[in-house]
Amino acid sequence: STPVAGGVELARVLVRQGGGPWLEEAQLLLGQAAQTYDARLGREHTLTLHVHHEQALALLALGRPEEASRPLRRALYGRERQFGSEHADTLASAAALAEALGRTGNAVAAEALLSRVYDALLRLHGPMNEAVVESALQLARLQLQMRELEGARAHFQAALQGTLASKGEDHADAEAIEVELAEVKALQAKGRGQCGDAGANHALQAGGRTQPHGGGP
């Protein structure tokens, strides 16, 4: 199994680095390794689940989220049974599956998974942890796409506060989050303005309907 393990590690590094022209070959190598581990170690073995997770990350990087969903479900459910729902590996598979679901139009399921990941990471590590900040950003960006602006604003603010506390206000990450947060606030203000305009128009129309037609007592 040493050549297989070496190939898996090489493919994993390629995926983490963006892969470039070798990304498809890395994905194929991981798929072959997954089949080998399924047969030799069993479907629930830790290494088997690890390889399925890594293959799915390669598929996501290749822009194939539908294909990535299947190995991610394998990895997630297997890791939940082996390690529990709040283990780092389980949460990593849950976050990756949420990304795949979000990219295939299943935003509601993606949001539920990301909320679970964020809440668990926050309990385990506190608001200043980098993984917690990244999880808050992933959730906020999905909620922004869904136009769930209150949730997006709350999670962008949580990410910003964690970043400010850990990296300082002059850090580029904090400035980038402030830009995203400002976008949410602008959308909220625009929505309130439109609601105000609609209410004013409705009042004018109602007033026009109730105007007296003349003639006094």
Side-chain angles (χ1 to χ4, degrees), residues 59-60 63-71 73 97 100-101 103-105:
L59 289 166
L60 282 175
R64 290 150 62 181
E66 289 187 8
E67 293 177 63
S69 295
R70 184 175 179 182
R73 291 182 192 279
L97 178 58
L101 291 171
R103 289 167 60 180
T104 54

Side-chain angles (χ1 to χ4, degrees), residues 190-204:
K190 182 179 179 182
R192 285 192 293 269
Q194 290 174 343
C195 289
D197 291 344
N201 290 334
H202 179 75
L204 287 172

